Amino acid sequence: MPTPLAAPDHASALQELRTVLSAENYEGAVRCAARLYDALPDKEQLVSNVVLVAYGGGKDSSYTLAFVRTMQLILSQEHGATFRMRVAACGTRACRRP
């Protein structure tokens, strides 16, 4: 698996997300990150795991995406590595139900 060209500053990104999340929501992300970690199939190589997040373009899916990103950064801080995230964006009419 190729390594990224430049390692992102996960600590700074997590700190920025903490400033916009309430303490209750951040603690929820910590709990969800722990549950997700327990469910990941490859705990030895976290980067081998892929988590899919659906994104419809609205405020709810934008919040969900930020929440999962927070979980990703929490795991990076705790384990020195994290899962890969794929975002399935569905903002076209073809994706919407009639």
Side-chain angles (χ1 to χ4, degrees), residues 28-95:
V30 169
R31 287 190 305 275
C32 286
R35 290 180 66 191
L36 176 63
Y37 177 80
D38 289 342
L40 291 174
D42 190 350
K43 292 176 187 60
E44 296 298 317
Q45 298 290 322
L46 288 180
V47 73
S48 298
N49 299 289
V50 179
V51 173
L52 178 65
V53 180
Y55 180 74
K59 67 179 188 299
D60 292 338
S61 60
S62 295
Y63 182 85
T64 300
L65 185 59
F67 192 84
V68 176
R69 177 63 174 153
T70 303
M71 293 166 48
Q72 187 182 41
L73 295 169
I74 288 167
L75 289 180
S76 176
Q77 185 176 40
E78 290 178 0
H79 300 282
T82 194
F83 59 87
R84 292 178 294 143
M85 182 171 33
R86 296 274 166 86
V87 180
C90 191
T92 66
R93 288 185 186 182
C95 293

